[in-house]
Amino acid sequence: MSEAVTAFSESAADYERLLDAVARSIAQAVGDACVVALRSEDGQTVTPVAMFDADDAIVAKFAPILNVSVPTGDAKLVTAANKGSLFMPMVDLDQLEGHVHVNLLAFARSIGVHGLMVVPLRSRGAMLGAATVMRHSSARAYDEIDLELTEHLANHAALALGNAKLFREQQRIQEALHHSEMRRVAEAQAAEANRFVDAILENIPNMVFVKEAKELRFVRFNRAGEELLGIPRAQMMGKNDFDFFPTSEAEFFVQKDRETLDGKKLVDIAQEPIQTGQGQRWLHTKKVPVCDEHGTPQYLLGISEDITERLAFIGELTSARDRAEAANRELEAFSYSVAHDLRAPLRAIDGFAQALLEDYASALDANGQRHLDRIRNAAQRMAILIDALLDLSRVTRAELRREPVDLAKLARIALAMLERSDPERKVDIIVPGELPARGDPKLLSIVFDNLLGNAWKFTARAEHPRIEVGCKTDDGERVYFISDNGAGFDNAYRDKLFGVFQRLHKASDFPGTGIGLATVRRILERHGGRIWADGEVGKGATFYFTLSEAP
Amino acid sequence: MSERVILLVEDNADDEDLTLRALKKSNIMNRVVVTRDGVQALDYLFMRGEFADRDANEKPQVILLDLKLPKLDGLEVLRTLRADPRTKLLPVVILTSSAEEQDVIRGYDLGANSYIRKPVDFTQFVEAVRQLGLYWLVLNQPVPGRS
């Protein structure tokens, strides 16, 4: 018996095995068959949940009705046992008709039951069910001791069953608690993540909206969107574009939405007009499909940047550029007509003054002839000025080419031309064998023509004229220089050297247009370089320049 | 025997006088036919309009062509000349105020034989005219059967 009790407590945690143990213990203690039946929680049904008999054939006979619930009203003996054990050592099965479920009665008849005890299984005052023991062998009939033993075992079994049930319930409660805690934590985390995403969405300075994919109704909307449209988001939720925008606009938006969702890819709308509370605005919008795990678009995410101001700015820039280009074309036309139209009358002035000198020389005295000479000189000088101005404007307009160029070669060509134009002059010339650089050969030759032309001109009165071309490295930068020992200039005026029509010498001393150095500076600036000069009156001048190293 | 004339196409009366004077001073004695716009120049060359009855034997030895002309500009005149078999081989010297690179390139592109910029200095102008007269009227061997 103590073995049986131990078995109960050992299997307490395992409810199924415990029930089998109860049936077996009781059957083996008092014989022959034992059926354990439990009442449902609501008391509506009774179910035989375990059965034991030493004879396997009898166990097999019971199998069809094991675990088959019957209405409590059909199991009156079990109900009756609640008030106390039923003890029927000699039983007439016919008398049990109507008190026992038909299945059990048929089973009892089939094995020839002749004695019966029904003992309640009670735990903490609650009726769990009952154990029914049946005598079908020829062994002695049940006596009071059998009943006591059965009740004793049943009490222990009930206690174990009660504990097991409690344990199970406790476990269920614990699991439920655990689950609810987990859920609560998960929910809190999700809520926190949501708040984080919301805060980001809310503070993005562009309009952000989300529409559900089916009917394209708004489900999310951020603050920038509210401010742009001038519509509170509460009004937007659940509505679609046709509720807020002119039909043509709404149709365009929806068409782009569909394009995004059907194509399952980002659609970029560079420029779209939208009617807002502050009038028409222009948006740059990107629409993105948001898909579920099967790749089916569920939402449409849209991000719109208000580009109204930028477009206006671009428009202003474009019209300013158009105006500048028009002005440039006008300047070109002007330059062209200057070349043609201003030179023609000069030619007439010069030509007819010469004609007068030739044809009417006898009618003019020396003074009259000198006047005509001055007219011719003035006309020719004006022609030179016009040409110099045209060169300057051409330098500004010409396309800049960048290619390898040997500056020493350009210097030698310019000096050779000067020597040929003035073969009487003897000038010491120092030019290195090679001065490699990158730039526009045509424009850079104008630089050397001008700078060496100046050096040539301003050394006219020097005792031992000397012109040097060279290059040095200053702070890692290549600096080219052209120096002479001519008339020089006062450094106080060196900033004026490079302006148009700025001259530091009287034309009668050294002829010049006052445009050459302005042209030189413009060429070097177009190359990304600089020019500066250093001089001393009577000692000479040095012009330095750089070229940008850009390719 | 055909007469070796010079065709001067020039709308500016001053330039016309100066050119004639320069030719004279350079001892170039050929007769100079002057037309004052592009249409008149083509009329002369193709014997149309006022020149319908001119002597067909009279053929220009060289054409001195200004670029900026009324009605039809010099480059258009040049294009028309070069497109016509009767005139496509005529020597054409562009004589103009413009030294715009584009004008020079287009002039040569359309088949000009020479491009001279009129200098303001009359002495230089006379020298230029003298040289071009010497070259085109004396040194240059014309296309056979043309003169």
Side-chain angles (χ1 to χ4, degrees):
Chain A
M1 200 194 108
S2 59
E3 280 168 50
V5 172
T6 315
F8 293 164
S9 50
E10 274 176 358
S11 28
D14 189 341
Y15 205 65
E16 307 288 309
R17 273 178 53 208
L18 175 61
L19 291 166
D20 287 337
V22 170
R24 187 174 57 242
S25 308
I26 296 175
Q28 285 174 344
V30 298
D32 298 322
C34 176
V35 174
V36 175
L38 294 180
R39 248 177 20 157
S40 63
E41 294 281 340
D42 57 8
Q44 297 293 304
T45 57
V46 171
T47 311
V49 291
M51 183 269 176
F52 186 84
D53 193 290
D55 184 346
D56 287 343
I58 289 170
V59 172
K61 273 187 183 172
F62 192 79
I65 59 170
L66 186 68
N67 289 323
V68 176
S69 303
V70 301
T72 308
D74 291 354
K76 292 200 173 75
L77 290 186
V78 174
T79 318
N82 192 22
K83 290 170 187 142
S85 302
L86 304 177
F87 183 59
M88 291 174 271
M90 303 285 284
V91 67
D92 177 359
L93 292 178
D94 289 343
Q95 282 175 353
L96 290 180
E97 197 121 20
H99 297 280
V100 176
H101 190 267
V102 286
N103 286 341
L104 187 66
L105 193 59
F107 168 75
R109 282 197 169 118
S110 71
I111 60 169
V113 169
H114 51 82
L116 195 71
M117 291 187 288
V118 183
V119 183
L121 294 167
R122 243 193 242 109
S123 167
R124 295 178 180 85
M127 165 89 168
L128 300 177
T132 305
V133 276
M134 290 170 270
R135 181 72 90 207
H136 54 78
S137 66
S138 55
R140 63 174 177 82
Y142 292 134
D143 56 18
E144 294 288 332
I145 294 170
D146 289 328
L147 180 62
E148 251 178 61
L149 184 58
T150 304
E151 281 178 340
H152 189 73
L153 284 171
N155 284 343
H156 275 285
L159 198 65
L161 278 175
N163 284 344
K165 213 173 146 189
L166 261 181
F167 181 73
R168 230 161 50 155
E169 259 163 33
Q170 201 176 7
Q171 224 170 15
R172 220 175 21 239
I173 288 165
Q174 253 174 6
E175 264 168 39
L177 273 174
H178 183 64
H179 277 140
S180 75
E181 173 65 10
M182 292 271 285
R183 197 162 56 233
R184 205 185 60 72
V185 168
E187 276 167 5
Q189 280 171 348
E192 177 56 30
N194 249 343
R195 266 195 298 279
F196 180 61
V197 172
D198 278 350
I200 289 174
L201 212 64
E202 192 61 12
N203 288 298
I204 289 176
N206 290 340
M207 173 165 82
V208 177
F209 56 89
V210 180
K211 295 171 176 177
E212 47 81 22
K214 262 199 187 119
E215 298 182 323
L216 299 173
R217 295 180 184 283
F218 288 103
V219 295
R220 284 298 259 288
F221 214 76
N222 74 344
R223 186 165 56 216
E226 285 183 310
E227 283 165 4
L228 175 71
L229 298 186
I231 303 170
R233 82 187 69 185
Q235 275 183 42
M236 302 290 296
M237 292 302 127
K239 305 264 181 61
N240 68 23
D241 289 330
F242 289 95
D243 296 319
F244 301 101
F245 307 111
T247 312
S248 60
E249 259 177 34
E251 276 168 353
F252 178 79
F253 296 152
V254 166
Q255 179 207 325
K256 290 293 173 188
D257 291 349
R258 287 292 163 217
E259 196 180 316
T260 309
L261 295 168
D262 295 346
K264 294 185 190 177
K265 62 177 197 307
L266 181 144
V267 168
D268 190 319
I269 305 134
Q271 222 170 297
E272 56 175 6
I274 188 166
Q275 215 55 49
T276 73
Q278 32 179 337
Q280 190 186 58
R281 309 290 294 175
W282 289 86
L283 302 181
H284 173 198
T285 298
K286 287 179 179 176
K287 292 185 171 176
V288 191
V290 180
C291 297
D292 61 14
E293 67 267 34
H294 309 297
T296 311
Q298 296 294 321
Y299 297 101
L300 176 112
L301 167 67
I303 300 175
S304 297
E305 188 181 358
D306 186 343
I307 54 168
T308 315
E309 272 78 31
R310 198 195 307 162
L311 283 182
F313 181 62
I314 290 171
E316 273 167 34
L317 273 186
T318 309
S319 70
R321 193 194 56 204
D322 289 350
R323 281 198 301 276
E325 278 174 1
N328 217 26
R329 276 194 299 276
E330 220 165 274
L331 183 70
E332 261 176 64
F334 173 73
S335 307
Y336 191 86
S337 68
V338 162
H340 277 278
D341 301 349
L342 291 190
R343 282 173 61 92
L346 287 178
R347 221 164 26 240
I349 293 168
D350 185 83
F352 289 108
Q354 176 66 11
L356 263 183
L357 279 173
E358 285 169 6
D359 298 356
Y360 299 91
S362 56
L364 292 167
D365 62 8
N367 214 17
Q369 294 191 13
R370 267 200 303 278
H371 289 337
L372 281 173
D373 277 335
R374 292 178 86 157
I375 289 173
R376 288 196 66 199
N377 283 339
Q380 284 167 26
R381 180 161 166 71
M382 185 161 167
I384 291 169
L385 285 174
I386 288 171
D387 283 353
L389 274 178
L390 280 178
D391 281 346
L392 177 61
S393 96
R394 215 172 281 144
V395 157
T396 309
R397 289 179 286 134
E399 195 186 333
L400 185 80
R401 286 163 39 178
R402 280 199 189 269
E403 52 191 69
V405 56
D406 179 8
L407 298 181
K409 193 174 157 195
L410 297 183
R412 275 194 296 271
I413 291 170
L415 287 163
M417 279 169 57
L418 290 165
E419 281 177 322
R420 199 177 305 164
S421 71
D422 203 354
E424 310 295 307
R425 297 260 327 260
K426 291 279 167 280
V427 180
D428 284 341
I429 288 170
I430 302 161
V431 179
E434 203 185 28
L435 273 180
R438 281 185 73 80
D440 189 310
K442 230 164 129 186
L443 293 179
L444 290 176
S445 73
I446 296 177
V447 169
F448 279 93
D449 288 348
N450 271 288
L451 293 179
L452 289 169
N454 282 346
W456 188 268
K457 186 164 67 186
F458 291 113
T459 49
R461 295 178 192 174
E463 209 169 322
H464 300 290
R466 181 177 176 279
I467 297 174
E468 184 181 355
V469 178
C471 171
K472 57 176 188 165
T473 302
D474 195 1
D475 256 348
E477 190 177 32
R478 285 174 79 81
V479 176
Y480 304 94
F481 65 85
I482 290 169
S483 69
D484 65 64
N485 60 351
F489 59 86
D490 185 342
N491 266 338
Y493 304 114
R494 66 173 158 192
D495 292 337
K496 293 196 164 179
L497 283 172
F498 302 100
V500 177
F501 293 132
Q502 295 279 0
R503 304 198 66 232
L504 299 185
H505 300 273
K506 279 185 288 187
S508 54
D509 289 346
F510 296 99
T513 59
I515 298 171
L517 286 177
T519 306
V520 166
R521 183 176 68 174
R522 202 164 290 183
I523 290 171
L524 294 172
E525 282 174 353
R526 288 205 59 197
H527 278 83
R530 295 170 290 130
I531 183 165
W532 65 99
D534 190 20
E536 193 180 333
V537 175
K539 292 274 176 69
T542 303
F543 285 82
Y544 302 93
F545 69 87
T546 63
L547 294 168
S548 135
E549 290 300 317
Chain B
M1 159 131 189
S2 63
E3 194 190 350
R4 296 179 167 192
V5 300
I6 296 171
L7 175 61
L8 173 65
V9 191
E10 172 63 76
D11 67 318
N12 183 313
D14 289 342
D15 275 352
E16 179 191 327
D17 278 359
L18 291 172
T19 308
L20 294 177
R21 185 181 173 88
L23 285 167
K24 206 170 113 196
K25 285 184 77 74
S26 308
N27 292 320
I28 295 167
M29 296 311 173
N30 303 52
R31 191 161 68 83
V32 180
V33 175
V34 181
T35 55
R36 295 183 175 83
D37 64 54
V39 173
Q40 203 185 19
L42 291 179
D43 280 353
Y44 172 80
L45 287 165
F46 297 127
M47 297 175 67
R48 297 182 309 213
E50 61 181 298
F51 297 102
D53 301 325
R54 76 163 171 89
D55 181 359
N57 284 325
E58 182 182 300
K59 288 205 169 147
Q61 183 87 352
V62 65
I63 299 172
L64 305 181
L65 180 65
D66 193 9
L67 285 186
K68 225 177 148 196
L69 292 169
K71 291 182 187 173
L72 198 64
D73 74 25
L75 291 172
E76 281 306 313
V77 170
L78 182 57
R79 191 197 310 278
T80 312
L81 284 186
R82 289 298 178 244
D84 193 294
R86 290 170 289 174
T87 52
K88 69 174 181 186
L89 297 173
L90 278 181
V92 173
V93 175
I94 292 174
L95 195 59
T96 178
S97 300
S98 165
E100 281 292 310
E101 200 176 83
Q102 271 206 330
D103 284 341
V104 181
I105 290 170
R106 285 182 62 207
Y108 279 120
D109 197 41
L110 288 171
N113 299 78
S114 209
Y115 190 111
I116 294 169
R117 191 189 189 206
K118 295 179 209 168
V120 165
D121 184 339
F122 186 70
T123 316
Q124 288 176 24
F125 187 45
V126 170
E127 178 57 20
V129 167
R130 192 188 66 76
Q131 283 189 25
L132 83 88
L134 180 69
Y135 180 80
W136 288 107
L137 299 170
V138 180
L139 293 178
N140 188 46
Q141 181 73 40
V143 180
R146 287 204 41 81
S147 47

